[in-house]
Amino acid sequence: MLGLPDFEGLAMVAKVAEERSIAVAARTLGVSVATVSRAVTRLEERLGGQLFNRTSRRLALTDLGQRVAEQAAKVLWQAEEVENEARELASRPRGTVRLAVPMSFGLRWVAPLMPEFLRLYPDISVDLHLSDAKVDLIGEGFDAALRIAVMEDSSLIARQLCPVARHVVAAPAYLARYGRPQHPSELSVHHCLGYAFHARGDVWRFQEPAGEAATVTPTGPLRVTNVDALLPTLLEGLGIAELPEFISAEHLAAGRLEIILPEWRLTSGGLYFVTPSARNRSAKVEALAGFFATRLSKPAWLRGDEAGPHPATSGSQRDKTAGATQASRELPAAENNQHPPASRARKTR
């Protein structure tokens, strides 16, 4: 078995036959004379016959060389056509983009942008995969993903589009009934709703300006695989939850939710456009990246167009509410436990 044809040798023979000179063919191809000469000799040995009659002044095709050169010229022309067509396709945004997006963010902020994108790029189709589970871009064949996370070092190429803040929130009804926690450690005796696909495990990490840090493992009556599934229970005043700003903003602005522990900051991440590689990225992926960079770099929840920050209840209002409800307040799980178990909450300085 000879294996694959010697395409390089055939191409060089075709070019030598066209130019009637090894030196001229080498200049045309941008390679050395020795490279062309070796390719011709290699092909002759492979075919078992001489392709050119060579003298110091003249180069002429043999009968075998004439037949081979004619067919080799067709192969070279077809290869050039394939490359030219591929370059044109690569430079024009067209084809299908497989895009992975977290479900809640995708439904709220990506799906509404799709009509505009498809009008701008009619030759592109989008296979939009909505799931909160982290996907393997390379293993599952995705061209790109939008991720909301604190990006760690990896082989993936990530471009931040905007920051994404997170807040611990509760409905006014919950705070009126159970009171407002003043320190993260107090969350251990509250109904805290959990999210299974939290990037760093189901743990809430807090930091306050003076440098104190605290971690809380939320425990409560509900744990979900999609953040939107927390909202009915949260809005009914049955628990506390950590929500990204792009979900909480409208509810904070309308007064349906309030930020608790506003002086404590949660670990924040960003919205990233992620691809397996930046090298030779196709035009269709570049088009989508540029579109998202324009539309999502200053989204409505950051501009305050759709919902602005909702101020927490003032201290005097909290005191009044606390006084009115102290007698009937019901603390879930541990009413008289002033020091939550270390396994639930931990603080460090």
Side-chain angles (χ1 to χ4, degrees):
M1 291 291 291
L2 294 176
L4 289 173
D6 185 353
F7 291 108
E8 181 186 56
L10 290 168
M12 291 188 177
V13 164
K15 191 58 68 175
V16 170
E18 179 185 343
E19 302 293 350
R20 299 291 175 174
S21 167
I22 289 178
V24 175
R27 284 198 300 272
T28 303
L29 294 172
V31 297
S32 68
V33 171
T35 298
V36 177
S37 182
R38 283 195 299 269
V40 171
T41 300
R42 185 178 68 241
L43 190 60
E44 287 178 330
E45 292 174 352
R46 180 185 176 96
L47 298 177
Q50 192 170 347
L51 301 177
F52 296 96
N53 289 318
R54 305 172 181 84
T55 68
S56 59
R57 295 184 177 182
R58 192 166 178 269
L59 184 72
L61 286 163
T62 64
D63 288 342
L64 175 63
Q66 185 69 42
R67 295 285 300 274
V68 170
E70 288 175 359
Q71 297 300 317
K74 294 178 183 178
V75 172
L76 178 59
W77 178 82
Q78 290 176 336
E80 289 173 342
E81 284 295 299
V82 169
E83 288 193 351
N84 290 336
E85 184 178 348
R87 288 192 193 96
E88 184 182 356
L89 289 174
S91 64
R92 270 201 339 256
R94 64 181 302 167
T96 300
V97 178
R98 296 199 70 220
L99 176 68
V101 181
M103 183 172 289
S104 293
F105 186 83
L107 291 173
R108 279 178 167 80
W109 299 98
V110 176
L113 292 175
M114 284 296 98
E116 181 185 3
F117 178 78
L118 296 175
R119 281 194 296 267
L120 286 172
Y121 299 98
D123 292 331
I124 297 179
S125 59
V126 178
D127 183 355
L128 183 60
H129 177 86
L130 298 177
S131 173
D132 285 0
K134 188 175 180 180
V135 300
D136 178 355
L137 262 65
I138 298 174
E140 297 180 46
F142 285 99
D143 297 298
L146 288 175
R147 287 187 176 168
I148 299 167
V150 177
M151 291 301 296
E152 300 176 350
D153 291 338
S154 73
S155 60
L156 301 176
I157 306 301
R159 174 183 181 181
Q160 183 170 354
L161 302 178
C162 68
V164 177
R166 308 182 72 86
H167 303 294
V168 173
V169 296
Y174 181 93
L175 298 175
R177 184 179 184 188
Y178 298 119
R180 183 182 298 268
Q182 301 300 312
H183 190 279
S185 62
E186 298 176 17
L187 290 170
S188 62
V189 293
H190 282 269
H191 291 306
C192 294
L193 311 180
Y195 174 57
F197 291 131
H198 199 288
R200 294 176 177 269
D202 201 2
V203 176
W204 299 350
R205 292 176 170 83
F206 295 88
Q207 184 88 33
E208 57 96 35
E212 184 181 358
T215 59
V216 175
T217 300
T219 57
L222 182 65
R223 188 169 183 263
V224 301
T225 57
N226 177 260
V227 177
D228 272 309
L230 296 173
L231 285 174
T233 301
L234 189 62
L235 294 171
E236 283 292 320
L238 298 177
I240 294 172
E242 180 198 50
L243 292 183
E245 192 175 15
F246 66 82
I247 291 179
S248 64
E250 62 177 295
H251 299 291
L252 293 170
R256 294 186 291 269
L257 294 175
E258 296 181 19
I259 296 175
I260 62 175
L261 302 170
E263 66 278 12
W264 289 81
R265 295 178 63 86
L266 286 164
T267 302
S268 295
L271 172 65
Y272 292 87
F273 186 81
V274 182
T275 55
S277 172
R279 184 182 179 187
N280 297 327
R281 199 157 66 179
S282 66
K284 62 187 180 182
V285 175
E286 289 289 358
L288 189 61
F291 177 79
F292 283 146
T294 301
R295 300 300 186 275
L296 295 175
S297 60
K298 295 181 180 178
W301 80 82
L302 290 180
R303 298 195 310 266
D305 294 354
E306 181 176 291
H310 180 69
T313 308
S314 67
S316 60
Q317 289 174 313
R318 286 200 303 267
D319 293 341
K320 186 182 297 184
T321 301
T325 59
Q326 186 68 37
S328 60
R329 183 178 300 159
E330 301 174 19
L331 283 177
E335 296 174 354
N336 299 316
N337 185 357
Q338 300 302 314
H339 302 285
S343 61
R344 299 283 184 82
R346 183 173 70 253
K347 59 180 179 178
T348 57
R349 190 179 295 274

